[in-house]
Amino acid sequence: MLTLLDEVPAGLLQCDARQLISVLPGPTLIRLAGKREEVLFISVLLHGNEITGWEALRSLLSHYRDKPLPRSLCLFIANVAAAAEGQRCLPGQADYNRIWKVEGVVAEHPLVREVLAELAGMRLFGAIDIHNNSGMNPHYACINRLDAHFMHLARLFSRTIVYFIQPDEVMSLAMAAYCPSVTLECGQPGESTGVVHAQEFVEACLHLSAFPAHVLPDKEVDLFHTVATVKVKPDAHIGFAGVGADFSLLPDMDKLNFTELPAGSLFGWSGGERLPLQAWDEQGREIAARYFEVHKGEIITRTPLMPSMLSLNREIIRQDCLCYLMERLPPAQAQQKYAD
Ligand SMILES: [Zn+2]
């Protein structure tokens, strides 16, 4: 199921994400030796339509075609089949960034075990998983442990850092068991600024000899904690601008991402007096009533909150979630509180 390579195959760097399938039979690990032995792991295309990671790697590998890499690399080119169709995942496939907990039985778990078994045999320096959003978001880095090394890795990409532990089936959380690990959110697919930013970040990681051990001071980062995942109820029909749906999105609702909203803010419309949203906290409790209420068809926020990952794409809202809710954490205090 997993293809293992020790070199960049001929023709690979000429392929865009949709064309990779002409060179790679499926999910592929490529191990490349560099001057420093400890391996930088980079995964791209866990979501087949999020092409920024592949574009950044393509450009980076072209740059190093005739010279040694500063550090060994292990590249995981994930959902090649979905990338060929420009889809997040194909019908019948699991979401490739929701399979890394290896509990239960999904068809992708043998692949996950193969990848993790390969990685367990390597001396890993850091792990980077590169994604895009579908809505308007700043570039930011996500971590799953409030550890100084993780914070330094994330800060190399952005001063905006999001800490989360749910969903817990993501690759960056699995990789956190081995080394400092980060998920990059590089804006929307197709934006060249995201590609350049991701490539510069990987370059910086390739040249980094070690992570500083000191705690990052508060003025250096904006750290947010994801406290809830918001979903539209499974039986609710999603529409736009308040007409005839169980849940209607605000026009340009994705502009609310990373905006601190006061209590009493409008957060969409309900087709009736029933709240069409669910919110799940880190312990898996349903707590939507803490954050939202319905008043004359308007969904109103009850507490100050800050959303991220709001998207206007109904398919993504259905497949994944409507958004996450975040609160600000004082970085230095948080690192000391959670540090191992
Ligand atoms: Zn993604």
Side-chain angles (χ1 to χ4, degrees):
M1 201 162 178
L2 178 68
T3 302
L4 281 170
L5 301 172
D6 289 312
E7 60 181 10
V8 177
L12 190 75
L13 301 184
Q14 281 72 54
C15 295
D16 65 23
R18 282 180 182 266
Q19 297 162 333
L20 285 169
I21 201 159
S22 66
V23 179
L24 305 177
T28 303
L29 267 189
I30 307 180
R31 297 163 297 197
L32 302 170
K35 287 185 195 163
R36 288 198 175 93
E37 264 181 42
E38 274 191 312
V39 177
L40 183 66
F41 173 74
I42 305 174
S43 50
V44 299
L45 294 170
L46 286 178
H47 294 142
N49 59 333
E50 299 177 10
I51 58 175
T52 289
W54 171 242
E55 288 301 321
L57 278 190
R58 214 178 147 184
S59 171
L60 182 95
L61 294 174
S62 301
H63 178 72
Y64 283 103
R65 204 195 311 246
D66 303 315
K67 53 184 174 183
L69 285 160
R71 168 178 295 291
S72 297
L73 274 179
C74 178
L75 312 175
F76 180 46
I77 304 173
N79 200 339
V80 173
E85 304 294 327
Q87 299 289 322
R88 180 183 175 92
C89 56
L90 295 179
Q93 280 185 330
D95 180 325
Y96 270 37
N97 204 25
R98 301 288 185 276
I99 56 178
W100 297 91
K101 207 171 161 187
V102 205
E103 281 175 8
V105 261
V106 293
E108 288 79 6
H109 278 158
L111 167 72
V112 167
R113 287 194 195 93
E114 275 188 86
V115 172
L116 295 179
E118 284 299 322
L119 292 172
M122 294 178 195
R123 283 177 56 214
L124 289 163
F125 176 71
I128 304 165
D129 183 24
I130 309 181
H131 288 258
N132 293 106
N133 305 133
S134 56
M136 285 185 61
N137 286 277
H139 292 183
Y140 61 96
C142 300
I143 54 175
N144 313 107
R145 277 174 59 178
L146 287 165
D147 168 291
H149 287 182
F150 287 58
M151 295 274 285
H152 281 284
L153 179 61
R155 179 67 187 90
L156 276 178
F157 182 69
S158 173
R159 66 168 289 131
T160 305
I161 302 176
V162 172
Y163 164 70
F164 74 88
I165 55 169
Q166 285 294 342
D168 62 357
E169 313 95 339
V170 299
M171 169 153 250
S172 62
L173 187 56
M175 293 309 297
Y178 303 99
C179 60
S181 171
V182 71
T183 303
L184 306 186
E185 295 290 352
C186 302
Q188 300 192 37
E191 294 170 350
S192 59
T193 49
V195 177
V196 171
H197 191 186
Q199 188 186 342
E200 286 173 353
F201 171 75
V202 172
E203 274 282 356
C205 294
L206 284 175
H207 286 95
L208 191 68
S209 57
F211 295 104
H214 67 266
V215 163
L216 270 171
D218 287 355
K219 64 178 193 313
E220 286 275 319
V221 287
D222 292 307
L223 178 65
F224 301 102
H225 179 192
T226 301
V227 290
T229 306
V230 181
K231 300 194 175 202
V232 180
K233 283 185 178 163
D235 59 345
H237 176 252
I238 304 170
F240 284 99
V243 269
D246 302 311
F247 172 65
S248 287
L249 294 150
L250 302 176
D252 300 335
M253 195 164 183
D254 56 342
K255 293 209 172 109
L256 301 181
N257 285 326
F258 286 85
T259 304
E260 296 181 290
L261 300 176
S265 299
L266 181 66
F267 206 78
W269 293 278
S270 169
E273 281 307 295
R274 202 175 70 110
L275 183 66
L277 304 179
Q278 299 170 323
W280 304 92
D281 73 5
E282 287 180 324
Q283 283 72 43
R285 291 174 298 219
E286 207 289 305
I287 51 163
R290 186 186 298 173
Y291 296 111
F292 306 107
E293 62 190 359
V294 179
H295 186 67
K296 293 185 177 157
E298 292 184 339
I299 300 169
I300 305 293
T301 61
R302 298 189 63 213
T303 61
L305 53 86
M306 184 161 64
S308 70
M309 295 276 243
L310 267 168
S311 165
L312 302 176
N313 182 323
R314 279 181 280 186
E315 199 182 340
I316 287 176
I317 296 170
R318 273 277 167 248
Q319 281 181 357
D320 192 18
C321 64
L322 173 64
C323 66
Y324 297 98
L325 302 180
M326 305 188 295
E327 60 187 34
R328 205 175 257 278
L329 281 181
Q333 202 186 320
Q335 285 171 86
Q336 272 142 10
K337 188 172 158 196
Y338 290 87
D340 312 330

